[in-house]
Amino acid sequence: MSASSFLKALKAEGVTVVEVGDWRDHNRNHKGAWGPVHGVMIHHTVTKGSARTVEICRKGYEGLPGPLCHGVITKDGKVHLVGYGRANHAGLGDDDVLRAVIAEKALPRDNEANTDGNRHFYGFECENLGDGDDPWPAAQLEAIERVSAAVCRHHGWNERSVIGHLEWQPGKVDPRGFTMASMRERIRDRLK
C-alpha cells in the first residue's frame, strides 16, 4: 500500500496519528527492496520518554541508522509515523517463521537468522523499558491492536500475520510485558 493508503487505513481504524517530518519518504530503500510485505512486527524500545523515543526511532543511532520502524506507539496511545518503506527494525530472522506468517499458521520456534525481515514486515516500536515491570497502559495496548488490525484489514490478513520480534529472531525478548498470543486474540476480535 502507498504511504497515503497506510495513513488512511490507520485513521479508519481509529488510530491517533502524529506525522513526523518527511515520514512518507524516510526509509532505507537504497539498502534493498521493501516487499513483498507479509506481516506486522511489534517491538519495545527499551527507552523512556516519548519525545526521545520518537527521535531515536526516526533518526537511529550510531551503527543503526533510522528509521527504526514505521510507527512509534507511545504510552498515551498515539502513533508517531517516522518512516515508510524499508526500516531497520526486524533484522535477520527465521525463514520458517516467515513461511508460517505467509500461510497464517501457528508459528514454529525461531531457531535461525537467515532471512531479511526488514524487507517483509511493517514495524511498530512501542515505548517501554522492556524490563517486565514498566507498565503497558490500556491506551498503548489498544493502539497496538488498532495499528495491527488496520494493516491486516487492508491486506486481507488475519491476526496470525502479526508477530513479536521475539518470535522472529533468536535471542530477542520484545515485546516484554504482554503476550503476543493475547494481542493476536484482541486483533482477531477487532477484525471480526
Side-chain angles (χ1 to χ4, degrees):
M1 78 177 122
S2 68
S4 295
S5 296
F6 179 59
L7 179 61
K8 185 177 178 182
L10 295 178
K11 288 183 174 181
E13 204 66 45
V15 175
T16 302
V17 175
V18 178
E19 298 181 66
V20 181
D22 62 344
W23 71 271
R24 293 168 188 262
D25 300 310
H26 186 50
N27 57 56
R28 304 282 298 156
N29 290 356
H30 65 284
K31 290 294 185 181
W34 189 51
V37 184
H38 297 295
V40 176
M41 191 173 295
I42 306 299
H43 307 263
H44 65 232
T45 59
V46 194
T47 59
K48 189 173 185 176
S50 297
R52 179 174 172 265
T53 298
V54 171
E55 184 76 3
I56 289 169
C57 289
R58 177 170 161 52
K59 291 186 175 177
Y61 50 87
E62 190 174 331
L64 191 65
L68 304 184
C69 59
H70 299 96
V72 181
I73 304 174
T74 49
K75 292 210 176 257
D76 59 6
K78 292 180 181 166
V79 179
H80 303 256
L81 300 182
V82 297
Y84 198 73
R86 186 180 178 89
N88 276 335
H89 72 97
L92 293 176
D94 194 312
D95 61 341
D96 294 326
V97 172
L98 180 61
R99 280 191 286 280
V101 168
I102 292 168
E104 296 182 317
K105 296 188 180 215
L107 297 176
R109 188 175 70 76
D110 57 327
N111 61 6
E112 54 191 351
N114 60 8
T115 301
D116 176 11
N118 295 334
R119 177 179 186 173
H120 295 294
F121 290 94
Y122 295 89
F124 291 93
E125 288 280 358
C126 305
E127 176 191 355
N128 191 278
L129 292 174
D131 59 6
D133 294 322
D134 192 13
W136 289 89
Q140 189 177 32
L141 291 172
E142 184 176 329
I144 296 168
E145 173 191 327
R146 286 179 185 270
V147 298
S148 300
V151 174
C152 288
R153 195 179 308 282
H154 177 87
H155 287 286
W157 298 336
N158 72 29
E159 75 281 356
R160 289 187 180 216
S161 294
V162 182
I163 66 172
H165 200 193
L166 76 169
E167 296 171 308
W168 171 247
Q169 191 176 66
K172 295 297 182 178
V173 299
D174 57 316
R176 189 170 178 199
F178 66 90
T179 67
M180 285 307 300
S182 67
M183 182 54 66
R184 279 190 286 269
E185 287 176 15
R186 291 175 64 148
I187 295 161
R188 180 197 63 216
D189 293 346
R190 177 166 291 278
L191 288 170
K192 288 180 183 172

